Each structure stands twice: as structure tokens, then as C-alpha cells.
Amino acid sequence: MLKSTLVPILSTFPTKPKMLPTKLPWQAIITNTYTQSPQPVHQNASHTTPAPLHQHHHPPTSAYIHLPFCRKRCHYCDFPIVALGSTNPTDNDPRISNYIELLQREIVSTRSDFDTIPPLETVFFGGGTPSLVSPRMVLSILDTLKVKFGVCEGAEISMEMDPGTFDCRKVKDLMGMGVNRVSLGVQAFQEELLKSCGRAHGVKEVYEAIEILGSCGVENWSVDLISSLPHQTPQMWEESLRLTIEARPKHVSVYDLQVEQGTKFGVLYTPGEFPLPCETQSAEFYRMASRMLTDVGYRHYEISSYCEDGYECKHNYTYWKNKPFYAFGLGSASYLNGMRFSRPRKMKEYMGYVENLENGVVNYCGNNHVDAKDLAVDTVMLSLRTARGLDLRSFAEAFGGSLVHSLCKVYQPYIESGHVVCLDEERRAMTANEFNILFLNEDEIVKGLSYIRLSDPDGFLLSNELISLAFRVIDP
């Protein structure tokens, strides 16, 4: 699950780490909101041009499913969850079975204003700890999705899994029903840090989980890590990164801790004060991750995400491209017809929401009106999270060349400092002098400049500030 520290839209995203948003720019957006954490497999995931204005009325091809169950609440977590207790649940636990039935009712009752409904290309099970749910129940959800929308053959079906919540049989059963991508919530390789975070697993379970995934032949799997934890030292962070690299996952997600009000960490700690690191130390953690992971061949394709070639998270690219998506379950947020809609975070209210949906009382499909300023802001913010950056020509077609010129003007000092990188249509990095020559003529900017992106890592570290500047240009 991810959230944004900048704008409301991101705090409603469904994508990945069930863990934390962030206080520094680079993590400032989605984790799993309800996850987070938006798509990979051997595909054209590198093309992150945002959806044109008219495409926001196209039917989604991605769905986020929130399975809120955890053994316990982690000390940093403010996501909507249901704590089940220390033992793994049985198939007959009514807390799970009743919720799954409710979730299926929501899916079945979802109405569509679209003329055609294409099959789903990505499904993401986030939480919570989805691996606590039995394969039988996961299959029932997938079957409901197939009947309602259809699911493409070879669709990316991702699941967040925590160490200690699955064995080889469960993994094989899940793979047999189509789950083909696993996001493993490791968070740290130090026993003391896991305990201090309130994690339900230890280091022993981490190694066992990695061994299980390998023995079951899971090829496409990711490791989630958290930096800037209380009492975390640079040596600890370096060790976690090194051990992750040795495990050779196809994908690594690195999130910076955000201390949220209402959590145990929110009561115990103040951001920037010991035992939490200061912002300078947190920035160094981010630089270390970027350096170590890229040095061994991982591609830093999004602020929080690294992968081997061809293993970008396809589902998360739905978010980065600002494309529509379904979402189902407690606290989840969908994006349809240009409107973001969040479901209730409390179970009783969610039950009432599903009943109202069945009775035709709820309308979350929007009114086909997309505010151009909001869409421009979303496009800039989401595009600049990616290594590909903002496609200026597509942006100019949607919002006008004068807005592109205004963005370039506000970014000019950062282009000269190297925090913002200008690229031509061949994705060749332009010098500041070449940019300044183009900037003299508004028409030449759009013709000669194809993309802008943030530099790695220093531009990403300034992303909140740079995106805020864009906001003021788009909606002064």
C-alpha cells in the first residue's frame, strides 16, 4: 500500500508494500495501499507514457484485492487490517470465510458503464498478509473475477506473502491456480529490528521463506525492505541489502519508514529524532540502496523499485501510467472514469457499503468529467516517480505546449544543477546549454525535448520539492 505525502490521490492507492509511505520525497507515494505497489513480467513495462485524457474513460484491465488479515499489527502500520493472533488460521476461520464471501459479493455487484469489458491483465492480492488466506479461498476470488471480468491467459497475478505464513504445498497450490509473482515482506535481516517493528516473523523464517520460493520454482519474486527504522545503523542497512542481493530476487522494493499518527511508532517516536535517523541519514540509506542494487545489475525503474530486466511490476505500472483500475475489499481505492473512490476502512461500514452496492445505492463510477488540472498534476507526479520520466510530447498534446514551457522554466535551475535530466527523442541526455538554447523558443522546446526525468539518486531525493513546484505551475 502506498500513500503520498503530497496529494490525496496517492494516499488512496492500492499498490504495494504493506508497510509504509514515507517522509522523504522518494517514497512519497504508494506502497500497497492497499499496497500497494503497482507490474512486471517480460513486457513493455518500460513505456510509462501516461494515459491520454480520453483513456481515463476506458475500462480497467487491473484489479487490486485487499486481504486484510495479519497475525498482529506491526508498530508502523496504519492500514486497515484484521489481527488474527499468533497462530496461522485454519480454513474454517469465520473471520476469513465471512470476509471472502463479502468480497465476492462486492465483485459480483460491481456495475460497469463500459460498452465492453476487457479481461484483467493484472491482479494484485495485497494486505494485510494475503498468504494467511487458504489457496481454496484465493481460488474462489479468482473464479469470481473470471466470471465477472475475465482474466487473460498469462495475466500477472501477484500476492504479498510474509515469512512464516506459507509452506511449499501452499506455494505450489497458489502457483497451480495462476499466482505467478510473489512479493516477500522481509523488511530487515536483523532479529532486533524485526522485533522492534512488531513483525510476526524472525530471521530464521526469512531464510526458510526464500528457500521455499526457490524449491517451488517461483521465478518472479520480490523482496520488500524498510530503511530508517528505529536504531537501524548504516551497517545493518548494508547487511540487509547485501543479503537481499545474495538471495537474487528478480525485484526489490525499498521503502523509507514513515511514522504515522495512531500507530505504536507514532506514540513512541518523533520523526528526525533519535532513535530514528535524521533526514540526512535517511537520504544516505537511499543512496546506498541505489548504489548497491544498480552495481549488481538491478535497474532502478521507479523511486522505490528495482528489478532485473523484464521483471518490472506490471500491476504497479497501472498506477504510474495513471490508468484506471478496479479495487475490492476493506479500505481499498479504485480509479474509474477519472474518479478515485475509497471503500470504508472499518468492517461494519464496509459490510454496509457492500449491501448498499447490492441495492444500487452506491455510485462510484464517476460522471465522465475529468478535471484537466487534476489529471495534469497526477501525470507529472506519477511520471516523475519513474526512470522513464515525463513524456513531454504526450503531455503537450493533452495539456498544451505552453504548460510544458512553464514546467521547463520552473525546472531550469534544477536542470542546471543536474537534479532534472532532459532527454531527446532518442533518450540521449542533453546538456544544460542545449536545453537553454531550446528554451529560448517555446515551439522548439516541444520539438527538441522529449522527456524530463529526475536523476538517480539525487533528483529522486528532491522529488517532493520538484513535484510541488509543478503543482504551483499547473494550478497556481
Side-chain angles (χ1 to χ4, degrees):
M1 298 237 296
L2 280 199
K3 291 192 198 184
S4 166
T5 59
L6 291 175
V7 287
I9 107 174
L10 287 186
S11 56
T12 63
F13 268 54
T15 157
K16 233 238 122 107
K18 63 183 97 220
M19 55 220 17
L20 23 114
T22 121
K23 59 184 181 201
L24 286 182
W26 59 91
Q27 302 301 56
I29 293 196
I30 146 171
T31 321
N32 187 68
T33 306
Y34 311 31
T35 176
Q36 18 292 311
S37 338
Q39 311 112 207
V41 235
H42 318 59
Q43 93 288 358
N44 298 324
S46 60
H47 300 297
T48 60
T49 302
L53 210 57
H54 67 277
Q55 288 190 14
H56 291 267
H57 302 305
H58 283 190
T61 56
S62 294
Y64 173 81
I65 309 295
H66 190 61
L67 300 180
F69 307 104
C70 288
R71 288 179 288 184
K72 57 190 289 193
R73 181 178 287 278
C74 299
H75 298 339
Y76 50 72
C77 175
D78 73 338
F79 296 124
I81 70 160
V82 176
L84 299 175
S86 57
T87 58
N88 288 341
T90 66
D91 245 14
N92 300 319
D93 191 318
R95 294 170 294 180
I96 297 180
S97 58
N98 291 343
Y99 176 81
I100 299 302
E101 179 185 356
L102 191 63
L103 179 69
Q104 290 174 291
R105 286 168 53 194
E106 182 191 357
I107 295 170
V108 170
S109 301
T110 294
R111 296 180 306 282
S112 173
D113 295 334
F114 305 111
D115 294 334
T116 59
I117 302 177
L120 298 174
E121 297 174 5
T122 74
V123 177
F124 194 104
F125 290 97
T129 306
S131 49
L132 287 173
V133 177
S134 72
R136 178 177 62 84
M137 292 186 179
V138 172
L139 180 59
S140 71
I141 297 169
L142 286 172
D143 284 344
T144 304
L145 290 172
K146 289 175 183 177
V147 171
K148 181 68 179 182
F149 305 109
V151 177
C152 289
E153 183 177 352
E156 178 190 276
I157 302 178
S158 302
M159 176 174 283
E160 292 182 348
M161 305 178 75
D162 277 0
T165 64
F166 59 90
D167 56 18
C168 200
R169 178 178 177 181
K170 177 177 277 191
V171 171
K172 288 184 177 179
D173 286 347
L174 290 169
M175 292 174 67
M177 60 186 62
V179 175
N180 51 24
R181 184 177 184 275
V182 170
S183 180
L184 186 64
V186 173
Q187 319 315 2
F189 279 85
Q190 294 76 35
E191 202 72 46
E192 61 269 39
L193 291 185
L194 293 173
K195 288 181 179 178
S196 70
C197 289
R199 295 293 291 176
H201 69 266
V203 174
K204 177 175 177 288
E205 286 77 19
V206 169
Y207 286 114
E208 289 174 349
I210 292 171
E211 173 63 28
I212 290 170
L213 295 179
S215 65
C216 291
V218 178
E219 179 187 16
N220 191 3
W221 64 286
S222 177
V223 166
D224 290 347
L225 296 176
I226 305 177
S227 63
S228 302
L229 293 169
H231 300 287
Q232 188 177 41
T233 65
Q235 292 75 24
M236 290 176 176
W237 183 233
E238 186 276 338
E239 181 182 48
S240 287
L241 290 166
R242 177 174 52 79
L243 293 172
T244 296
I245 290 168
E246 290 177 4
R248 294 309 305 175
K250 298 297 185 182
H251 189 283
V252 182
S253 294
V254 175
Y255 300 99
D256 187 73
L257 176 68
Q258 171 131 356
V259 177
E260 299 286 354
Q261 291 184 354
T263 65
K264 186 169 183 178
F265 275 4
V267 173
L268 294 175
Y269 305 125
T270 300
E273 296 183 8
F274 185 82
L276 297 178
C278 65
E279 286 197 4
T280 300
Q281 292 169 318
S282 293
E284 286 307 312
F285 284 150
Y286 186 78
R287 289 189 177 96
M288 184 186 297
S290 177
R291 181 178 66 255
M292 290 182 64
L293 291 169
T294 57
D295 280 353
V296 295
Y298 287 99
R299 187 165 63 83
H300 194 179
Y301 73 97
E302 186 272 332
I303 278 182
S304 310
S305 307
Y306 302 78
C307 70
E308 293 185 5
D309 286 344
Y311 288 92
E312 299 88 348
C313 181
K314 285 181 182 176
H315 181 82
N316 285 352
Y317 258 120
T318 298
Y319 308 136
W320 310 144
K321 291 182 180 181
N322 207 21
K323 294 173 65 176
F325 54 87
Y326 300 108
F328 303 102
L330 186 73
S332 65
S334 56
Y335 182 42
L336 300 172
N337 289 336
M339 188 177 86
R340 303 185 191 278
F341 181 87
S342 296
R343 286 136 192 82
R345 290 171 57 93
K346 294 185 178 180
M347 192 64 73
K348 184 176 181 180
E349 285 81 358
Y350 174 62
M351 292 173 64
Y353 158 76
V354 174
E355 291 175 3
N356 287 335
L357 185 65
E358 290 174 323
N359 294 329
V361 179
V362 177
N363 173 28
Y364 60 82
C365 291
N367 57 9
N368 289 328
H369 172 71
V370 178
D371 185 277
K373 287 183 178 179
D374 289 347
L375 182 56
V377 165
D378 290 358
T379 299
V380 171
M381 174 170 55
L382 295 168
S383 296
L384 290 184
R385 284 186 63 90
T386 68
R388 184 169 180 83
L390 177 64
D391 183 332
L392 293 177
R393 294 182 181 178
S394 294
F395 192 80
E397 289 176 8
F399 307 107
S402 61
L403 184 53
V404 169
H405 191 265
S406 297
L407 283 175
C408 289
K409 182 177 181 179
V410 78
Y411 284 154
Q412 190 170 15
Y414 299 92
I415 292 169
E416 293 178 351
S417 67
H419 291 91
V420 176
V421 180
C422 298
L423 304 171
D424 63 17
E425 61 182 354
E426 302 298 326
R427 296 197 61 81
R428 179 187 66 86
M430 302 170 66
T431 66
N433 187 52
E434 287 176 306
F435 166 80
N436 288 331
I437 293 172
L438 287 176
F439 184 71
L440 295 175
N441 185 315
E442 183 174 318
D443 293 334
E444 289 302 314
I445 275 285
V446 177
K447 292 179 182 177
L449 185 58
S450 295
Y451 302 90
I452 56 171
R453 64 172 177 83
L454 305 186
S455 62
D456 179 13
D458 291 332
F460 281 150
L461 285 168
L462 279 184
S463 60
N464 278 353
E465 177 180 337
L466 294 170
I467 292 169
S468 295
L469 289 173
F471 291 176
R472 292 197 286 270
V473 169
I474 294 168
D475 192 8

